[in-house]
Amino acid sequence: MNTASTPKTTGPDIAGQIAYAMRSMGVSPIPRNYSLFYEAYIGSNPALTKDLAALGSRATQEDLDELSARYGDNNPARAIDDAHEKLRRELEALLGTLRREQSSIENYNRILGETRQRIDDKNASSTNILKNAISLLAEATGTKIIDGEKAFNDVNRHAEEMHQVRLELDEYKRIANTDSLTRLSNRRAFDDRLASVYDTSIGLQYTSLVLLDIDHFKRINDTFGHPVGDKILATVASVIRANVRKDGFVARSGGEEFAIILDGNTPEEVMVMCERIRLSLESTPFRNSRSGADYGTVTISLGFASASQAGNPAELYGHADTALYHAKETGRNRTVFYEDGMQKNYTGKNWLIYRT
């Protein structure tokens, strides 16, 4: 099973690898299984990768769900499903309350109509008419007030329950779209955000996709081990986030690869931001605070493209990926802006993972 240390410029794309692995193991192609395999393949958690590989071709859905619960942020996908189900039940209960209230109103109107008929009955004495009318109206009105208060309280209670479920659902979705190691948005969130870039054609010349990749990350993992690699990933994520404005979208899009989507900046301004990130990281010390071990300088390569240079998300991703490839091929630790005519001599990665 491949991990984050596998070079991403060779072999089939990660989406193809995951699909092949799931078919080989006879795993059902449902979203929560795909998410589990993706996390294993990008290598963010070596223990998950090892445990999933150990299941071999005998993996059951129960085994996979157990791994999801153990490694997957308390399985937010299942929590989202549970929240949706709870929301559905509360909505059904609310509709039931409203239907009962409607029935109560109809019954009250019926009693009012019967009372009017009695008043119009010329064969009844005035005393009996008034007495019966008062009795009926008093009973019906009292019952209606009680029913109305109960319905009002029930509606408020169900509305509050649904409000709380909605808040929980928002939190579960936030967790499901967050990379557990770096606390940035994850690949799922990145796919959604990238897919929305072309929802409007307005301002595409000021929208850019930046792809960043840590140089020689395999060497870091091989030399110092995955725990050190994880700490370096978290530090790199912090440096990136600190140098991107708050409304900029930042995600960990792969093992050691990150992505930024910016709106409202010219390519020249994006280049300045990329260089700021690169130089800031280049000057960041990477040492073990306890042992004093120096892990050396960590650098990144960056490639970016403007949305106006492409006609759809896949093409935009391909342009940025090509620019990143050129940054790697021309020496690393540099930023390259995509230009027409740039070529790459490898099969590009599939940007669309979670939306396939």
Side-chain angles (χ1 to χ4, degrees):
M1 181 172 290
N2 294 337
T3 67
S5 61
T6 301
K8 297 192 291 304
T9 57
T10 60
D13 60 77
I14 189 171
Q17 293 178 29
I18 294 172
Y20 177 78
M22 292 176 69
R23 285 196 301 270
S24 299
M25 294 176 67
V27 172
S28 177
I30 58 179
R32 68 175 185 269
N33 289 345
Y34 195 99
S35 177
L36 183 69
F37 272 71
Y38 173 74
E39 294 300 329
Y41 262 73
I42 66 172
S44 61
N45 190 328
L48 167 60
T49 302
K50 180 180 178 181
D51 286 349
L52 185 58
L55 293 178
S57 60
R58 58 183 176 80
T60 66
Q61 190 59 53
E62 183 178 358
D63 293 331
L64 297 173
D65 288 343
E66 192 277 329
L67 286 184
S68 293
R70 193 189 315 166
Y71 295 110
D73 277 327
N74 297 319
N75 203 354
R78 180 177 294 178
I80 290 174
D81 290 341
D82 291 344
H84 275 132
E85 176 60 21
K86 186 175 180 181
L87 194 60
R88 185 194 65 77
R89 291 198 302 268
E90 289 297 332
L91 183 57
E92 282 294 324
L94 177 58
L95 291 175
T97 297
L98 295 177
R99 283 193 291 267
R100 287 192 298 272
E101 176 63 7
Q102 181 182 8
S103 177
S104 177
I105 291 174
E106 291 172 352
N107 186 54
Y108 185 60
N109 288 337
R110 179 184 58 77
I111 292 174
L112 291 179
E114 291 177 355
T115 303
R116 179 175 179 177
Q117 288 178 359
R118 293 189 183 188
I119 293 174
D120 290 342
D121 186 357
K122 296 179 179 165
N123 295 323
S125 66
S126 299
T127 302
N128 287 337
I129 289 174
L130 187 58
K131 189 175 182 180
N132 290 337
I134 291 174
S135 176
L136 280 171
L137 288 175
E139 181 179 356
T141 301
T143 301
K144 183 67 198 75
I145 290 174
I146 293 173
D147 289 343
E149 289 178 347
K150 185 177 184 302
F152 177 78
N153 291 333
D154 285 347
V155 167
N156 280 345
R157 178 169 56 81
H158 291 307
E160 177 60 26
E161 285 289 336
M162 286 192 290
H163 175 67
Q164 291 302 320
V165 173
R166 185 186 65 79
L167 293 179
E168 291 176 12
L169 193 56
D170 289 345
E171 178 62 13
Y172 290 143
K173 287 182 177 179
R174 185 194 66 78
I175 293 172
N177 286 331
T178 300
D179 177 63
S180 59
L181 176 63
T182 64
R183 313 315 301 169
L184 298 176
S185 296
N186 60 16
R187 183 57 186 253
R188 181 187 293 105
F190 169 67
D191 282 356
D192 286 341
R193 179 65 182 84
L194 184 58
S196 70
V197 166
Y198 292 88
D199 286 350
T200 176
S201 60
I202 299 174
L204 289 180
Q205 68 271 32
Y206 300 113
T207 299
S208 296
L209 168 64
V210 183
L211 296 181
L212 311 84
D213 194 280
I214 300 176
D215 296 327
H216 303 298
F217 190 70
K218 181 181 184 301
R219 184 187 303 169
I220 294 173
N221 273 336
D222 290 348
T223 304
F224 302 109
H226 284 281
V228 171
D230 287 349
K231 290 181 180 179
I232 288 175
L233 282 168
T235 301
V236 170
S238 297
V239 171
I240 295 172
R241 182 71 268 182
N243 285 279
V244 178
R245 68 173 195 260
K246 289 185 178 180
D247 62 341
F249 178 88
V250 183
R252 181 186 179 197
S253 54
E256 66 267 28
E257 187 173 285
F258 300 84
I260 303 170
I261 298 177
L262 287 175
D263 296 317
N265 290 100
T266 65
E268 292 76 16
E269 291 169 336
V270 176
M271 176 64 79
V272 170
M273 181 209 69
C274 288
E275 285 295 281
R276 184 171 64 244
I277 294 172
R278 187 183 66 81
L279 293 172
S280 178
L281 186 62
E282 189 179 33
S283 62
T284 298
F286 286 86
R287 297 187 181 90
N288 187 310
S289 57
R290 294 182 180 177
S291 67
D294 189 345
Y295 303 127
T297 301
V298 175
T299 63
I300 56 173
S301 298
L302 307 93
F304 74 99
S306 170
S308 60
Q309 295 176 295
N312 55 61
E315 190 177 359
L316 175 58
Y317 186 93
H319 288 346
D321 192 40
T322 297
L324 175 60
Y325 172 78
H326 276 260
K328 292 281 192 181
E329 288 295 295
T330 55
R332 293 183 169 84
N333 190 24
R334 63 190 60 202
T335 303
V336 172
F337 176 56
Y338 176 79
E339 296 178 0
D340 291 340
M342 278 188 175
Q343 300 294 325
K344 54 187 178 183
N345 58 9
Y346 72 101
T347 302
K349 300 182 289 298
N350 184 355
W351 76 273
L352 200 68
I353 291 182
Y354 280 104
R355 294 175 64 86
T356 53

